[in-house]
């Protein structure tokens, strides 16, 4: 009888561990979305404040930058997704970036909702595990008391 309880307890423990891993992955995902939003904020701020003729540092990758002069701030190349980019007027570029932020807000909300559901599920499993442990301890105590009574 106790072996089955131990087995169920171990199964609950494994389910809890899997939920914890899934929660961690989702939290990392949300952090990535937030970082992407911050990057977009920086881009919007740059688009709105830079002027034609301004000198900027352009990232080349690997932590290397080159100084460049902005030729025409009125035309911005914006990623549309799927490895496609398009030249946009300054205001249109800001609109595209704001829509990306709105989409990220939606993804963050959906992912956080999923996190809440998984946390609720995790709490339920933890309560089940605690109840099982208590029951098993009570059974052990009863068995020990029964053995003592039998020995006397």
């Amino acid at each position: 009888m106790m072996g089955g309880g131990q087995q169920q307890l171990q199964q609950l423990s494994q389910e809890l561990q899997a939920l914890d891993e899934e929660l961690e992955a989702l939290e990392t995902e949300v952090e990535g979305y937030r970082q992407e939003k911050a990057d977009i904020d920086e881009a919007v701020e740059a688009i709105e404040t830079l002027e034609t003729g301004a000198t900027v540092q352009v990232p080349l990758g690997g932590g290397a930058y080159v100084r460049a002069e902005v030729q025409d701030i009125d035309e911005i190349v914006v990623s549309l997704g799927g490895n496609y980019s398009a030249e946009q007027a300054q205001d249109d570029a800001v609109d595209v970036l704001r829509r990306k932020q709105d989409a990220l807000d939606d993804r963050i909300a959906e992912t956080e909702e999923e996190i809440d559901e998984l946390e609720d599920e995790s709490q339920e499993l933890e309560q089940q595990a605690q109840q099982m442990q208590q029951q098993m301890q009570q059974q052990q105590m009863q068995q020990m008391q029964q053995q003592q009574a039998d020995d006397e």
Side-chain angles (χ1 to χ4, degrees), residues 41-107:
D41 278 335
E42 286 180 30
V44 168
E45 184 180 342
I47 291 169
E48 292 176 340
T49 58
L50 282 175
E51 296 176 3
T52 298
T55 300
V56 294
Q57 290 187 15
V58 179
L60 300 174
Y65 295 83
V66 65
R67 283 194 181 88
E69 184 178 307
V70 176
Q71 296 285 318
D72 183 6
I73 194 64
D74 295 327
E75 294 298 324
I76 311 289
V77 178
V78 180
S79 171
L80 301 175
N83 292 328
Y84 290 99
S85 297
E87 198 170 280
Q88 303 274 328
Q90 191 174 8
D91 291 341
D92 293 338
V94 169
D95 288 344
V96 168
L97 293 171
R98 293 277 186 230
R99 283 195 301 273
K100 282 184 179 184
Q101 282 186 317
D102 291 343
L104 286 169
D105 283 336
D106 291 344
R107 282 195 220 151

Side-chain angles (χ1 to χ4, degrees), residues 9-68:
L9 201 57
Q10 186 157 357
Q11 185 177 349
L12 280 176
S13 176
Q14 289 171 347
E15 288 177 35
L16 277 167
Q17 187 175 353
L19 278 176
D20 285 345
E21 289 171 8
E22 193 171 346
L23 280 167
E24 195 173 312
L26 289 173
E27 286 166 357
T28 300
E29 203 172 298
V30 168
E31 194 53 44
Y33 293 149
R34 288 196 173 119
Q35 182 58 53
E36 194 173 339
K37 275 188 67 176
D39 292 346
I40 291 172
D41 278 335
E42 286 180 30
V44 168
E45 184 180 342
I47 291 169
E48 292 176 340
T49 58
L50 282 175
E51 296 176 3
T52 298
T55 300
V56 294
Q57 290 187 15
V58 179
L60 300 174
Y65 295 83
V66 65
R67 283 194 181 88

